Amino acid sequence: MKYVLVTGGVVSGLGKGVTASSIGVLLKACGLRNCQYHPNTHFNLFGLDPYLNTDAGTMSPFEHGEVFVLDDGGEVDLDLGNYERFMDIKLTRDNNITTGKIYQASVGSVIDKERKGDYLGKTVQVVPHITDEIQDWIERVAMIPVDGKEGPVDVCVIELGGTIGDIESMPFIEALGQFSYRVGPGNFCLIHVSLVPVLNVVGEQKTKPTQHSVRGLRGQGLTPNILACRSTVALDDNVKGKLSQFCHVPEQNIITLYDVPNIWHIPLLLRDQKAHEAIFKVLNLQGTTKEPLLKEWTSRAEICDGLHEPVRIAMVGKYTGLSDAYLSILKALLHASVDLRKKLVIDWIPACDLEDATEKENPDAYKAAWKLLKGADGILVPGGFGNRGVQGKILAAKYAREHRIPYLGICLGMQVAVIEFARSVLNLRDANSTEFDPNTKNPCVIFMPEGSKTHMGGTMRLGSRRTYFQIKDCKSAKLYGNRTFIDERHRHRYEVNPDMIARLENAGLSFTGKDETSQRMEIVELPNHPYFIGVQFHPEYKSRPGKPSPLFLGLIAAACGQLDTLIQGSGSQGNLSAKLGNGIAMEKVYQKGTTKPAKVLSDGLYSYCNGVQV
């Protein structure tokens, strides 16, 4: 077994997760062989998060970005979403280790063993008990393939969360230092991601932050084999020489991760700078691999760079100030838009800015929000918790329904669509969710009976669940290729009230997907609307580059006036890219009856966003 550890220094947010994922892509493309000479490489990936939380489930999106949900119901850091998307694999909750899990959360944890008396009277300490538990966990789970293939795992890529110097990460760093000795020379490669800033005043690349970061890493018992340096531009040769001299890393092992138009270029950057050869040399794998071709990645990156015809999607949410709060949704929208050869432009709309109260308190924000909503080609209302902004989301659903704008509601986005329909069509003015009004006389959305009202962590309906289509002739079933059922990931405490279903359906709402009991509503549609779909599950978690989520594909296609072509392709299992892309320019029919293209803002991808993220 070979291990590749990715650490980060200087500042957080440098892209360790993307780097670790890209390394996995690169090594997989090299066709590594295990000792039985299987023709395929088997991988595993780990995320080590030093925070004391058991998992990411109770963290605010403003605090830590989105919570990514796995098939087994694990609520994990968003970097595991990057791993799954890049590598097209399925991870488990055991692939995310936190301090909370090590100390107390899991069966067989350190505290659990201490209570059982497994340590035979010893004083339980961070070293060796915590550090041994971390190493044992890595070694145990690393042997389990996550790519669906048989055979032993060849390579395990590990990302250590946080930044070198953080107090909470010290036990993990000590454990990994010991682990490098446990697995022996030639089986452990450390890649340190660091920052080389360029000061605008002098325009010079500064190496001192990286020097100090490496010194701190070496002071804690780990020595980097490769440096991956984040910078705005490629490193100058003299800068590489200086880093090599002061960090004790060969120049050929210093890689520049400079700014690129989209993250699909990162595996290509690593390949072009021979990062795979540096890794193989450290791991004694020279001569056992092939050159990575990465044709699909090259094509995808170039296609994304060359897109020019925009499609505008209004994202009406609660956490619009931080794009990472909706990272998987952004990725799913991007996957779909690239597949349809459209340039994605996101209009971020804080849901509360659409509400009447904002019109009085901040009329400029109110006008700006409604202007963006009315100018969008499609509207997406994502999930969320709490009552802030709910009325704005209801108004967005109402606007989409009445003006026949393509709409996709996810989790809470589905629930607010049902509430809006009950209020506007059934004339139930006080229709609401018991989450927001426990005393409502017309509860359209209710707390699930099996949920807990005293404990928040890990008590929701989580993970992969099966949805059965009730109607064959509906848009969602057609988009999924006319299957009888689908498996999608969930994360919710509330559900549509089964007692309200008959009244809602009699009024024109169609619940086209339900669970195995037929009592839990999974998909809702408006049959006579161009595209109005709400889902209780989170389809964004399973979207992949080159394999976009059908519902996101449907939203983008409907926003471009191409839904009928898409559905015909899905129904016949045809090649959609050949039908809609293929380099042929197609006139865009906008939902408002005009062919005038939307204005692309200066970022070229996401407007009204804190930075560009592809």
Side-chain angles (χ1 to χ4, degrees), residues 166-219:
D166 293 344
I167 293 173
E168 60 266 24
S169 64
M170 288 182 178
F172 284 88
I173 295 173
E174 176 62 28
L176 290 165
Q178 295 178 16
F179 190 69
S180 67
Y181 286 100
R182 179 189 286 196
V183 299
N187 294 314
F188 189 89
C189 177
L190 198 165
I191 301 174
H192 187 59
V193 182
S194 187
L195 177 68
V196 178
V198 179
L199 298 183
N200 291 331
V201 178
V202 293
E204 181 185 1
Q205 294 173 331
K206 293 295 185 179
T207 64
K208 195 66 71 177
T210 295
Q211 291 180 43
H212 284 295
S213 181
V214 171
R215 185 177 301 144
L217 185 62
R218 292 170 63 194

Side-chain angles (χ1 to χ4, degrees), residues 170-281:
M170 288 182 178
F172 284 88
I173 295 173
E174 176 62 28
L176 290 165
Q178 295 178 16
F179 190 69
S180 67
Y181 286 100
R182 179 189 286 196
V183 299
N187 294 314
F188 189 89
C189 177
L190 198 165
I191 301 174
H192 187 59
V193 182
S194 187
L195 177 68
V196 178
V198 179
L199 298 183
N200 291 331
V201 178
V202 293
E204 181 185 1
Q205 294 173 331
K206 293 295 185 179
T207 64
K208 195 66 71 177
T210 295
Q211 291 180 43
H212 284 295
S213 181
V214 171
R215 185 177 301 144
L217 185 62
R218 292 170 63 194
Q220 295 184 56
L222 287 171
T223 300
N225 303 109
I226 298 170
L227 289 181
C229 298
R230 287 284 289 112
S231 190
T232 54
V233 295
L235 295 185
D236 297 333
D237 289 341
N238 65 310
V239 173
K240 283 189 176 183
K242 193 173 182 181
L243 284 171
S244 176
Q245 181 180 8
F246 285 95
C247 299
H248 305 175
V249 175
E251 281 193 43
Q252 62 269 27
N253 287 14
I254 298 175
I255 311 298
T256 309
L257 298 178
Y258 53 83
D259 292 350
V260 289
N262 64 74
I263 61 172
W264 294 335
H265 282 282
I266 303 300
L268 309 180
L269 273 184
L270 293 171
R271 178 200 61 188
D272 294 344
Q273 296 177 72
K274 306 295 184 182
H276 53 292
E277 293 183 4
I279 294 171
F280 295 154
K281 186 174 182 180

Side-chain angles (χ1 to χ4, degrees), residues 38-173:
H38 285 202
N40 296 310
T41 307
H42 302 288
F43 280 89
N44 207 325
L45 291 100
F46 267 96
L48 309 184
D49 291 302
Y51 46 70
L52 284 170
N53 304 65
T54 300
D55 56 37
T58 57
M59 291 185 181
S60 164
F62 281 130
E63 182 81 16
H64 208 68
E66 76 166 4
V67 176
F68 191 80
V69 178
L70 304 172
D71 268 1
D72 66 357
E75 296 174 283
V76 296
D77 186 87
L78 57 82
D79 278 330
L80 273 77
N82 281 324
Y83 305 161
E84 287 205 342
R85 283 187 290 269
F86 267 63
M87 299 290 293
D88 194 17
I89 56 178
K90 290 184 179 180
L91 300 173
T92 70
R93 66 179 76 229
D94 285 344
N95 290 96
N96 185 216
I97 306 177
T98 69
T99 302
K101 286 182 180 179
I102 293 295
Y103 273 84
Q104 193 169 19
S106 61
V107 176
S109 65
V110 171
I111 300 300
D112 183 56
K113 290 179 179 177
E114 187 275 332
R115 291 291 83 188
K116 290 180 179 178
D118 289 353
Y119 295 120
L120 301 176
K122 293 285 187 181
T123 301
V124 180
Q125 298 174 295
V126 172
V127 181
H129 302 103
I130 296 296
T131 53
D132 283 352
E133 185 67 26
I134 293 170
Q135 295 177 71
D136 292 344
W137 190 313
I138 292 173
E139 206 162 39
R140 171 173 52 84
V141 179
M143 301 302 296
I144 305 171
V146 293
D147 53 8
K149 301 173 183 176
E150 295 182 357
V153 174
D154 300 296
V155 180
C156 178
V157 180
I158 305 166
E159 180 205 346
L160 175 62
T163 305
I164 296 303
D166 293 344
I167 293 173
E168 60 266 24
S169 64
M170 288 182 178
F172 284 88
I173 295 173

